[in-house]
Amino acid sequence: MNQRSRYTAAAALCAWALSTGAQAQQEPGITDKTIKIGVFAPLSGSGMAYGFDVMNAAKMWYAKVNKEGGVNGRQIELVVEDDRCNANDLVAAVKKLNEQDKVFLLNGGSCSAAVVASREYVEREKVPLVMLNASGDGALYPPSKYIYGAFSISQHAVGGSMVQFASEHLKARKIGYINHDDAYGGWNLEAAQSQARQLGDLALQVQSVNPNITDVTAPMLKIRAANPDVLLLTTYARPAALIIKKAHELGWNKPIVLAVNGTADLKQLVENVGNKDAFRNVYIQDVLSDLPGGPKLTWVYDMYKQSYPDLAAKPGYPQSYMPYGLPPAMAVVNALKAAGPQPTREKVLEALATMRFDSGVMAGPIEFGPNDRAAQEAAIYIKFDGANMSLVPGAFKSTWQYQK
């Protein structure tokens, strides 16, 4: 190679390096060595149980990836915010992470009502948001190019899956259904009704109650009068305890199936009902791949103990929702890897839109599609007698799909 050729080659190499460096600099939160991700969850206050250990799980997955070399040679750098399970605090956290910390993408949200409030800002700023464990149906439908969530399960899928379980496993044809008279209740009821229509010849006897209800006598008397084969409860834990207690007082002996919404603290649920006999024919919905502490999930709890030995030694830890933080972190890492050595937000969004993988954590696969931004739509069911659990074989999936 002559002198002139060497100069030409060197100039071309320099131009390439400058162009790729400039491309990296155009995207916020990206350097040659790091990718900055904004993570947020309720880390204090009354909603802390929904997000504290969920974020810990996400952080331990990112730490694992960094230890193994990072993503395409870059280390993941986390910027953490506390959203306190409050819409105003969450939106403020999202704005700070995007505008001040200049993160590449967002990975957060454990409380659905709070994370839904961020949709307008996220779409306007065109920043990718991958939720933690919030169902966030109000942010997922109509589908947004920038928002992905429901890694635990969407509220639509909660209702659809429960009807599928009642029909397939319990052989029910007439189904009692108690939900809340709010947006959550409307979402799960819409999918439950869709599932019932698809299964054919299924009748839903619906009672919608206020989340703050204190006397459930009237709705339970109406359910008993309708004489369904099974009662599905998609309420929160406090109304669920009142309903299970009242059902027992009224002599109800048919199956009761409780949605994951009301199962965060089963010990407290039993105490609130006040009678273990009320649980003789109760099933609970779960969105993990196995019983808590089951063999399929051993690796999750072992990783937690290794990552947080002091915390794991404390009573009550890990918290119930801890494993939910792994799949969203996996999805972020998978999307970053698919985006290649010069990642852009657009490339990450393209990767998320067609993503499908088995997390080894949740009941069903993590899967997105053109009109589907809800990651996980299946659930398992557990026979619960107030003390012991036995797993019902198989997973039961919602078939509801968003229609434009």
Side-chain angles (χ1 to χ4, degrees), residues 29 75 98 148 269 289 323 359 384:
Q75 291 285 293
N98 185 51
Y148 295 79
L269 176 69
S289 61
S359 67
F384 178 61

Side-chain angles (χ1 to χ4, degrees), residues 43-351:
L43 306 179
S44 62
S46 59
M48 180 179 167
Y50 292 111
F52 177 76
D53 258 353
V54 177
M55 181 180 284
N56 281 337
K59 287 166 66 177
M60 74 185 185
W61 188 259
Y62 288 130
K64 174 182 181 293
V65 171
N66 280 342
K67 187 176 180 181
E68 294 172 353
V71 180
N72 295 319
R74 292 183 175 91
Q75 291 285 293
I76 295 171
E77 177 185 326
L78 300 181
V79 184
V80 178
E81 289 292 328
D82 179 5
D83 65 37
R84 299 174 185 82
C85 203
N86 176 277
N88 290 334
D89 289 328
L90 187 146
V91 173
V94 165
K95 288 182 176 180
K96 175 186 177 294
L97 290 167
N98 185 51
E99 297 172 12
Q100 296 182 33
D101 299 305
K102 306 292 184 183
V103 300
F104 180 67
L105 59 80
L106 299 164
N107 181 202
S110 296
C111 301
S112 292
V115 78
V116 167
S118 70
R119 173 167 176 150
E120 181 181 353
Y121 177 84
V122 166
E123 290 188 318
R124 184 172 68 246
E125 294 296 313
K126 300 180 179 180
V127 53
L129 167 59
V130 177
M131 296 180 196
L132 280 175
N133 54 315
S135 59
D137 293 58
L140 299 177
Y141 306 109
S144 169
K145 175 180 178 179
Y146 303 99
I147 304 173
Y148 295 79
F151 286 85
S152 53
I153 193 169
S154 77
Q155 280 301 307
H156 285 87
V158 162
S161 171
M162 290 181 79
V163 170
Q164 184 68 32
F165 172 73
S167 172
E168 185 176 330
H169 183 76
L170 299 176
K171 309 303 179 185
R173 306 310 298 166
K174 195 174 182 181
I175 297 173
Y177 192 95
I178 300 181
N179 67 332
H180 286 310
D181 60 359
D182 58 9
Y184 288 174
W187 292 331
N188 62 58
L189 178 58
E190 180 183 1
Q193 291 171 329
S194 173
Q195 199 96 4
R197 287 192 298 270
Q198 290 187 33
L199 290 168
D201 195 31
L202 283 188
L204 259 61
Q205 309 293 326
V206 180
Q207 292 293 311
S208 298
V209 301
N210 188 281
N212 298 314
I213 192 170
T214 56
D215 185 353
V216 298
T217 304
M220 267 310 303
L221 285 174
K222 290 177 181 177
I223 290 290
R224 188 178 69 168
N227 194 31
D229 303 316
V230 62
L231 174 58
L232 308 184
L233 304 181
T234 62
T235 68
Y236 303 132
R238 195 176 65 83
L242 294 173
I243 293 166
I244 293 170
K245 182 178 181 179
K246 181 59 66 174
H248 182 64
E249 291 172 356
L250 294 174
W252 178 276
N253 56 14
K254 297 176 182 179
I256 296 176
V257 186
L258 177 59
V260 68
N261 310 47
T263 63
D265 190 336
L266 290 176
K267 181 180 178 182
Q268 187 63 53
L269 176 69
V270 175
E271 290 180 4
N272 290 343
V273 171
N275 189 337
K276 284 188 178 180
D277 288 342
F279 291 88
R280 284 181 177 173
N281 203 1
V282 169
Y283 295 83
I284 58 175
Q285 182 188 57
D286 205 317
V287 296
L288 296 173
S289 61
D290 202 351
L291 293 169
K296 291 182 181 179
L297 295 172
T298 300
W299 67 273
V300 174
Y301 294 93
D302 287 346
M303 183 185 291
Y304 182 91
K305 291 174 185 176
Q306 292 168 7
S307 301
Y308 310 105
D310 293 340
L311 192 57
K314 294 182 179 181
Y317 289 89
Q319 294 173 320
S320 298
Y321 293 142
M322 180 275 290
Y324 295 9
L326 288 169
M330 292 176 181
V332 168
V333 171
N334 290 350
L336 289 171
K337 288 179 177 178
Q342 295 299 327
T344 64
R345 285 177 168 178
E346 196 67 26
K347 289 179 182 178
V348 165
L349 290 169
E350 289 174 3

